[in-house]
Amino acid sequence: LDAKDAIRNADAVFIAVGTPSRRGDGHADLSYVYAAAKEIAEHMDGFTVVVTKSTVPVGTGDEVEEIIRKTNPNAKFAVVSNPEFLREGAAISDFKRPDRVVVGTDNEEARERMRELYRPLFINETPILFTERRTSELIKYAANAFLAVKITFINEMADLCEKVGANVQDVSKGIGLDNRIGKKFLHAGPGYGGSCFPKDTLALTKTANDHGSPVRIVDTVVQVNEARKKAMADRVIKAMGGSVKGKTIGVLGLAFKPNTDDMRDAPSLDIIPALQAAGARVKAYDPESMHEAGKILAGVDFCDGPYHAVDGADAMVLITEWDQFRALDFDRVKKLLKSPVVVDLRNVYQPSDMQRRGFNYTSVGRP
Ligand code: UGA
C-alpha cells in the first residue's frame, strides 16, 4: 500500500514523526506532525481515529484536529493522544511489556478502537489509562522530566558522596528499595543525553513559562545536567594529574547510552572536544556509533576495538557502558596503557578490584 491507500483503508492512523527542538528557542518543532495531519486529512475515508504518538506539547491535539477539519471539512474523525514510552535499544520489549498504556480522548468510539487495538496487552494485565487528551499529552513530558530529575538528583548525590566519603551506589540502593522511590534511573553518570530527555525537559520548561506556570525543578535539572556534562572533562584532567597537554586519551563508548548508535546530546560530545581543547589527543572506540560520531567529532582517531583505543594512551576513559567493556582483560589493558589511569564515568568496575590490579582508578561518587 502507498500512504494514500493505507490511510484510506485504516480504522486508525498513527502519527509517530519526530518533534526536534526548534532552532533558537527550544520549543518542539511540530512541522512534521502538522504535515502528517494534513496528509491524513487529504486521504481519510469513513470514521478514522488519528493517533498522535509523537511527543507533542499540550494542546497539539487541538491543532491537529483543526488542521484536519480545515483540510477536509467533511471528514469524520477523532484525534487521540497515545504517547510512547519506548526506550531506544529496548523498543520491542518495551512495546510488548509496557508498564502502562496512556490513551487521551473523550470520544467514546475512539476509546473503543484503542481498547481493541491494545487488547493483546490487556490480557497481560497491562494497565490502560484513559484520560483527557491534554492530560495524556502532558503525561509524556511529565514522565520524561521526572526521570531526568531522578538521574540529576543522584548525580548531585554522587558529587556530595565524593566530598563526604560516601558511596553513591549504596545510596541508590538504600533509597531505591523504598517502593515509593523505586530503584530505576538512579545510576549516577556523566549526565543524561539522547534525543528525548534534553529536548523534552527543555520543551516542558518552555511550555510552562508560556503559560506563566514555571517548572523550576525541571529548569534547574536542565542547567545542572548541562553543567555536569561539561564538568566531566575536568574530572578526567584531574585524574591525569592536572594537565592533558600532549597526552593521549583512550575513550571507550561514544553513544549517549549502550545499544544505540545515537550521538544526539551524548556526553562524549562535551567531554572529547574539551579534552582536545586542553591539548589531548583522543583515540576512541564505540561498537556502533563511530560512523555517526565521525560526522560530528573532529580530530578523533577512531579505533578497531577497546584494546586498540587504549594502546599507548596515558589514560582510559569509559563514557558509555557497553556490555563488552564490562569484561575487559585488565592485564592486557594495563600492559597497553602508558600509565595505569582509568576514569570510569559509569561506575562499571569495582574500585577495590581496580586498585588491586594497580590502577589509578576514578569513578563517580564512590570512595
Ligand atoms: C527515554 C525514556 O526512558 C523513554 O521512556 C521514552 O519513551 C523516550 O525517552 C522517549 O521520549 O522517546 P531514551 O532516550 O531511549 O528513553 O533513553 P534512556 O534509557 O531513558 O536514557 C536516557 C539517558 O539517561 C541516557 O543518557 C542514559 O545514560 C541516562 N541515564 C539513564 C542515566 O544517566 N542514569 C540512569 O539511571 C538512567
Side-chain angles (χ1 to χ4, degrees):
L1 293 180
D2 63 11
K4 201 165 124 188
D5 288 331
I7 293 166
R8 189 175 302 126
N9 288 314
D11 295 319
V13 182
F14 283 68
I15 299 176
V17 293
T19 54
S21 269
R22 207 161 63 190
R23 238 177 255 283
D25 68 3
H27 280 89
D29 174 358
L30 297 172
S31 55
Y32 304 105
V33 174
Y34 294 155
K38 194 156 180 297
E39 189 177 355
I40 293 166
E42 282 162 2
H43 305 301
M44 62 167 48
D45 191 16
F47 181 77
T48 307
V49 178
V50 179
V51 186
T52 310
K53 272 232 154 273
S54 305
T55 300
V56 294
V58 178
T60 303
D62 303 2
E63 291 287 324
V64 167
E65 200 171 289
E66 190 61 25
I67 289 168
I68 296 176
R69 214 185 298 286
K70 273 205 191 121
T71 314
N72 182 348
N74 298 323
K76 291 188 183 57
F77 67 99
V79 175
V80 173
S81 160
N82 175 217
E84 59 93 354
F85 302 104
L86 312 177
R87 286 163 304 157
E88 268 183 45
I92 294 182
S93 61
D94 283 353
F95 178 78
K96 286 182 168 162
R97 284 175 290 279
D99 286 343
R100 79 318 204 173
V101 172
V102 175
V103 175
T105 176
D106 47 19
N107 181 295
E108 196 46 50
E109 186 166 353
R111 197 175 298 176
E112 276 321 302
R113 274 195 199 174
M114 295 300 285
R115 204 194 300 276
E116 185 57 22
L117 201 64
Y118 281 109
R119 198 162 43 87
L121 297 180
F122 231 9
I123 294 164
N124 291 344
E125 296 182 356
T126 296
I128 303 195
L129 176 67
F130 290 99
T131 71
E132 294 290 312
R133 192 166 63 204
R134 283 176 170 247
T135 306
S136 165
E137 288 168 337
L138 186 55
I139 286 172
K140 172 60 194 262
Y141 281 96
N144 272 3
F146 193 81
L147 293 170
V149 168
K150 264 187 112 172
I151 297 167
T152 306
F153 177 83
I154 205 65
N155 283 341
E156 288 205 313
M157 284 299 128
D159 288 348
L160 182 58
C161 282
E162 283 168 17
K163 297 278 186 240
V164 300
N167 182 326
V168 75
Q169 277 182 323
D170 291 338
V171 172
S172 291
K173 263 188 222 139
I175 64 173
L177 285 167
D178 183 330
N179 284 331
R180 294 171 301 176
I181 296 173
K183 54 186 175 216
K184 292 189 178 156
F185 278 69
L186 285 178
H187 298 293
Y192 62 76
S195 65
C196 303
F197 288 174
K199 158 179 88 68
D200 294 346
T201 45
L202 193 60
L204 180 61
T205 64
K206 300 289 171 188
T207 304
N209 288 339
D210 289 351
H211 287 81
S213 179
V215 281
R216 280 170 304 210
I217 290 182
V218 184
D219 266 326
T220 305
V221 160
V222 170
Q223 288 167 29
V224 170
N225 193 64
E226 277 308 306
R228 182 170 188 83
K229 290 197 281 184
K230 296 203 172 13
M232 289 300 121
D234 292 336
R235 179 179 290 258
V236 173
I237 294 169
K238 195 170 157 214
M240 294 179 72
S243 168
V244 293
K245 208 167 168 63
K247 293 188 178 163
T248 300
I249 299 172
V251 167
L252 303 192
L254 298 166
F256 81 95
K257 66 171 190 178
N259 306 321
T260 174
D261 65 356
D262 200 337
M263 287 297 297
R264 284 175 286 182
D265 278 310
S268 63
L269 296 180
D270 285 296
I271 300 167
I272 291 175
L275 293 174
Q276 289 170 323
R281 170 184 168 225
V282 173
K283 298 170 76 183
Y285 171 72
D286 185 287
E288 298 284 348
S289 74
M290 289 193 293
H291 179 69
E292 284 304 309
K295 296 180 198 161
I296 325 169
L297 286 168
V300 172
D301 295 335
F302 293 106
C303 298
D304 295 335
Y307 300 106
H308 183 195
V310 299
D311 190 3
D314 297 277
M316 166 184 137
V317 177
L318 183 131
I319 302 183
T320 316
E321 70 280 31
W322 286 90
D323 272 348
Q324 62 169 268
F325 302 149
R326 291 178 189 275
L328 290 181
D329 172 351
F330 272 107
D331 293 336
R332 191 168 164 201
V333 170
K334 198 160 171 221
K335 276 197 201 113
L336 290 169
L337 281 172
K338 248 196 268 168
S339 51
V341 176
V342 171
V343 182
D344 171 6
L345 298 179
R346 298 284 185 172
N347 289 348
V348 165
Y349 311 116
Q350 278 314 316
S352 52
D353 185 43
M354 295 301 276
Q355 206 165 12
R356 191 176 46 78
R357 291 171 183 276
F359 285 101
N360 173 353
Y361 175 72
T362 312
S363 57
V364 176
R366 298 188 299 178

